[in-house]
Amino acid sequence: AQSVTQPDIHITVSEGASLELRCNYSYGATPYLFWYVQSPGQGLQLLLKYFSGDTLVQGIKGFEAEFKRSQSSFNLRKPSVHWSDAAEYFCAVGRASGGSYIPTFGRGTSLIVHP
Amino acid sequence: KAGVTQTPRYLIKTRGQQVTLSCSPISGHRSVSWYQQTPGQGLQFLFEYFSETQRNKGNFPGRFSGRQFSNSRSEMNVSTLELGDSALYLCATKTAGGGTDTQYFGPGTRLTVL
């Protein structure tokens, strides 16, 4: 069975600073990998996804993530954080099934942005 | 294009009752997935429907069921409600069968079981 670990429950950064959110997964085959953001009043939104190909994935809102198979990691990065990035971030791994996938989510990392 | 719509947005039920939640997908989206989000268990996948057929299922008891109609709208039902069923229920839709399609989430239905 697949699993996802987000080691940091909370992360605090200053506005304008760089950001890296960690995600480690456990899965026997090539995984589908995702990062989602959840803000109050905004619902859950897909930031980026990896299925195959280039291991550096660009997403929306200036985010990117890098798939490192040797480390079983899919860390999310942003070079300069904005106050509006304060939210809950979820990493997920998908197991291919039935022409789609079954996702398993991490417990989330809460991002706090100081002015 | 209108987004994913979920009704009702808030619901209060008592233990033992049953509840039906509805999800209307973005126009043209044929896949609908349901998720449960709780502080204790986090985000968990319930099931996915595509072309009126359940394509995938998570690890939930049979009290949780769903269906999809020919217009792609989906409902999920929880029978014999328990306190632990209190949660935010999210649905997400995507265009077609391909697993690589982007999912779009609705705002959720907040269910409280008393």
Side-chain angles (χ1 to χ4, degrees), chain A residues 9-81:
Chain A
I9 297 174
H10 303 283
I11 280 193
T12 301
V13 299
S14 298
E15 190 169 16
S18 64
L19 172 71
E20 182 169 34
L21 301 183
R22 297 183 292 164
C23 172
N24 292 98
Y25 68 89
S26 173
Y27 184 57
T30 299
Y32 297 163
L33 294 163
F34 310 84
W35 274 100
Y36 295 89
V37 61
Q38 188 174 34
S39 307
Q42 296 291 320
L44 202 65
Q45 184 178 24
L46 178 69
L47 284 174
L48 45 79
K49 57 188 176 183
Y50 171 81
F51 286 93
S52 64
D54 193 348
T55 56
L56 186 61
V57 182
Q58 301 297 321
I60 62 171
K61 303 185 181 189
F63 286 93
E64 67 176 25
E66 186 171 12
F67 169 52
K68 292 185 178 180
R69 184 188 299 275
S70 61
Q71 298 175 21
S72 297
S73 69
F74 190 57
N75 294 347
L76 182 71
R77 300 193 295 248
K78 186 169 185 178
S80 178
V81 170

Side-chain angles (χ1 to χ4, degrees), chain A residues 38 49 97-101 107, chain B residues 37 40 55-56 94 97 100 102:
Chain A
Q38 188 174 34
K49 57 188 176 183
S97 175
S100 183
Y101 56 84
R107 296 309 302 269
Chain B
Q37 186 174 26
R55 174 155 69 172
N56 285 305
K94 58 187 180 182
T100 60
T102 295

Side-chain angles (χ1 to χ4, degrees), chain B residues 5-104:
Chain B
T5 303
Q6 291 188 245
T7 56
R9 292 293 310 280
Y10 302 91
L11 205 47
I12 300 176
K13 293 285 188 178
T14 56
R15 278 180 299 175
Q17 287 187 309
Q18 74 161 12
V19 67
T20 299
L21 312 182
S22 179
C23 175
S24 293
I26 293 170
S27 177
H29 286 197
R30 294 163 57 200
S31 165
V32 178
S33 295
W34 289 91
Y35 300 86
Q36 181 196 65
Q37 186 174 26
T38 61
Q41 300 298 319
L43 262 168
Q44 294 182 282
F45 171 76
L46 279 155
F47 28 66
E48 178 190 6
Y49 285 86
F50 177 70
S51 292
E52 301 177 63
T53 301
Q54 187 180 86
R55 174 155 69 172
N56 285 305
K57 188 178 188 305
N59 211 16
F60 278 80
R63 299 187 298 108
F64 292 82
S65 63
R67 60 178 176 169
Q68 186 180 32
F69 302 95
S70 58
N71 62 357
S72 295
R73 189 177 70 86
S74 176
E75 290 181 346
M76 68 161 281
N77 184 275
V78 188
S79 63
T80 320
L81 283 166
E82 300 176 0
L83 295 179
D85 297 332
S86 294
L88 180 66
Y89 289 89
L90 296 164
C91 82
T93 75
K94 58 187 180 182
T95 50
T100 60
D101 295 342
T102 295
Q103 271 193 335
Y104 295 87

